[in-house]
Amino acid sequence: MLVHELINTALPQLQPGDTVATALQLMSDFKLSHLPIVEEDRYLGLLSENDLLNIDNDRTNIENCKDDFAQVSVITGNHFLNAVNVANRFQTNIVPVITENREYLGSISGNELLSVLGNFSGANENGAMVVLEMEASKFSISEISRIVESDGASVLHLNIASRPDSTLLQVTIHLNKQEISVIVAAFERYGYAVYYYSGEEMFASEIDSNYKNLMNFLDI
């Protein structure tokens, strides 16, 4: 999905002649951390609520805050993940969308990005999840798929992330079934470290663990 498909033209924008008071009121009304500044359809930058709160006189015009205009935006033809990246890096819940010529087209809200990202990652689909940890050199999509498919399941989504505190990769696999005891056992048999899993197997595993603990207690 491209960012132009997510533009919300109803989100507010500021003109250079608007006052700090006006900007703060709009941010409060729309629950926004930033607002885009636009002059005759030309995008000038993004202004944060924190910067505005540092101004003593709320009758000051926005044009006097030019030094605080952040050059934060995405181009209309970008993939929506570019907008997610911008929102994360600049800690903003509104991302302006512009053309190559800096014409302002509208903005994308943080809530919309979160919703689209949830659909993109498969968070709204039913199925269990398995998180594996491994060295990057041992990562093989074909082997992971083969292990999953050996139990008649399919991979709905697969995400790879580096752990910041180690050299390991975390591979998150979203499956199309809930009962994954065979798959979890297969991953462990092939030497994969299973960091986390969900689904019916988790419930069964907890019952088995509780049963063993009870037996150990009765033996005392």
Side-chain angles (χ1 to χ4, degrees), residues 109-160:
S109 72
N111 286 338
E112 182 65 21
L113 283 177
L114 184 61
S115 175
V116 174
L117 187 61
N119 291 330
F120 180 78
S121 66
N124 297 328
E125 299 180 37
N126 291 325
M129 187 177 296
V130 180
V131 180
L132 307 176
E133 282 193 340
M134 67 193 73
E135 296 289 344
S137 60
K138 296 183 179 180
F139 173 68
S140 170
I141 291 179
S142 59
E143 182 172 80
I144 289 173
S145 297
R146 180 168 54 81
I147 292 172
V148 169
E149 292 167 2
S150 68
D151 190 43
S154 298
V155 176
L156 296 176
H157 298 275
L158 186 146
N159 179 268
I160 306 167

Side-chain angles (χ1 to χ4, degrees), residues 178-190:
Q178 289 285 356
E179 208 297 307
I180 58 169
S181 57
V182 174
I183 295 173
V184 170
F187 277 127
E188 292 175 337
R189 188 167 64 253
Y190 277 86

Side-chain angles (χ1 to χ4, degrees), residues 136 160-170:
I160 306 167
S162 299
R163 290 200 60 165
D165 56 345
S166 74
T167 61
L168 296 176
L169 291 179
Q170 277 197 344

Side-chain angles (χ1 to χ4, degrees), residues 12-23 26 35-47 52 55 57-67 69 104:
Q13 63 192 61
L14 295 172
Q15 300 290 329
D18 289 332
T19 65
V20 169
T22 298
L26 285 172
L35 278 178
I37 301 92
V38 181
E39 184 174 31
E40 296 180 355
D41 294 330
R42 181 174 176 78
Y43 176 66
L44 301 181
L46 198 65
L47 192 58
L52 292 174
I55 298 174
N57 186 357
D58 63 5
R59 295 183 180 180
T60 300
N61 287 343
I62 295 301
E63 61 187 352
N64 295 322
C65 309
K66 287 182 179 179
D67 291 344
F69 291 2
Y104 178 75

